[in-house]
Amino acid sequence: MPNLEYGYWEVSIEKSGRLKLPTALLRSLPEDERSTFYATHGFGEHIMLWSEKAYQEQMAYLNSLDRNLTLVKQYRNAFLRNTACLERDAQDRIVIPKPLMEQYHIDKEIVLLLDNGKIEIWNCSKYHEKFDMAPEELEKLNEQIHMGQYQAAKEVTDELS
């Protein structure tokens, strides 16, 4: 079965933070990236769950930054705060750290969004509040993004001329 790069699942999580990872999600990851995960702060209103490979890539990026800069130090410390290494058990479960659950208001119903080894964990209501769009809104957003790419490419072309 080929590995999928993207996926979306709505699942329940226990109050204790125990989460059974969907079989389809695990099958979407390369076999050697299915057992160890890292939970960190997300870049938004969600928890990030990184496969080991994706986490190592993120850490390589963080380690490339100049730690003598106050802004970098602030970023690293905020990102790494409450980071936890999570091992999947025999029933495909992991336990999300309580401080992350509380900060991101993770309760019974969650959304798991897989994107290239990175899994966003959202409070289900917050996810839908933020991303549910009427078809017309999605069309307009698509046009704005493509127009922005066109404008950026045109500016580069104009500068090269």
Side-chain angles (χ1 to χ4, degrees):
M1 175 180 203
N3 296 329
L4 302 174
E5 295 178 355
Y6 305 97
Y8 171 93
W9 297 268
E10 288 191 21
V11 297
S12 295
I13 189 170
E14 295 177 14
K15 189 174 186 175
S16 63
R18 191 165 64 175
L19 165 65
K20 181 173 180 0
L21 296 169
T23 301
L25 183 150
L26 291 170
R27 286 186 181 154
S28 296
L29 297 172
E31 198 166 331
D32 61 345
E33 295 184 41
R34 297 177 186 171
S35 60
T36 303
F37 297 91
Y38 292 83
T40 69
H41 294 277
F43 304 112
E45 299 176 51
H46 61 277
I47 297 169
M48 283 299 298
L49 189 64
W50 308 76
S51 68
E52 188 161 15
K53 179 181 175 191
Y55 183 73
Q56 294 306 325
E57 290 169 358
Q58 178 66 14
M59 289 309 300
Y61 170 72
L62 283 178
N63 291 335
S64 74
L65 301 175
D66 183 353
R67 294 180 189 170
N68 293 317
L69 299 174
T70 304
L71 192 61
V72 170
K73 181 79 170 155
Q74 183 180 18
Y75 174 70
R76 284 180 61 88
N77 288 355
F79 176 77
L80 295 171
R81 186 174 52 93
N82 299 323
T83 294
C85 179
L86 311 175
E87 295 288 333
R88 179 176 57 105
D89 69 13
Q91 286 79 42
D92 298 334
R93 299 175 304 194
I94 57 173
V95 178
I96 306 298
K98 188 172 182 170
L100 291 174
M101 297 259 307
E102 290 173 352
Q103 185 169 5
Y104 293 95
H105 309 285
I106 301 298
D107 52 18
K108 183 134 179 80
E109 299 301 318
I110 62 170
V111 167
L112 299 174
L113 191 64
L114 171 66
D115 182 0
N116 293 306
K118 301 164 194 77
I119 303 162
E120 296 178 4
I121 302 174
W122 286 84
N123 169 296
C124 196
S125 298
K126 280 197 176 279
Y127 180 87
H128 289 295
E129 181 183 303
K130 191 167 186 106
F131 297 109
D132 281 356
M133 292 183 189
E136 302 80 29
E137 292 173 298
L138 187 55
E139 179 181 12
K140 190 173 198 160
L141 181 59
N142 181 59
E143 287 176 7
Q144 290 173 331
I145 289 170
H146 285 275
M147 184 54 76
Q149 288 178 340
Y150 170 77
Q151 288 296 91
K154 185 172 180 343
E155 288 172 14
V156 168
T157 303
D158 290 346
E159 285 178 17
L160 295 175
S161 300

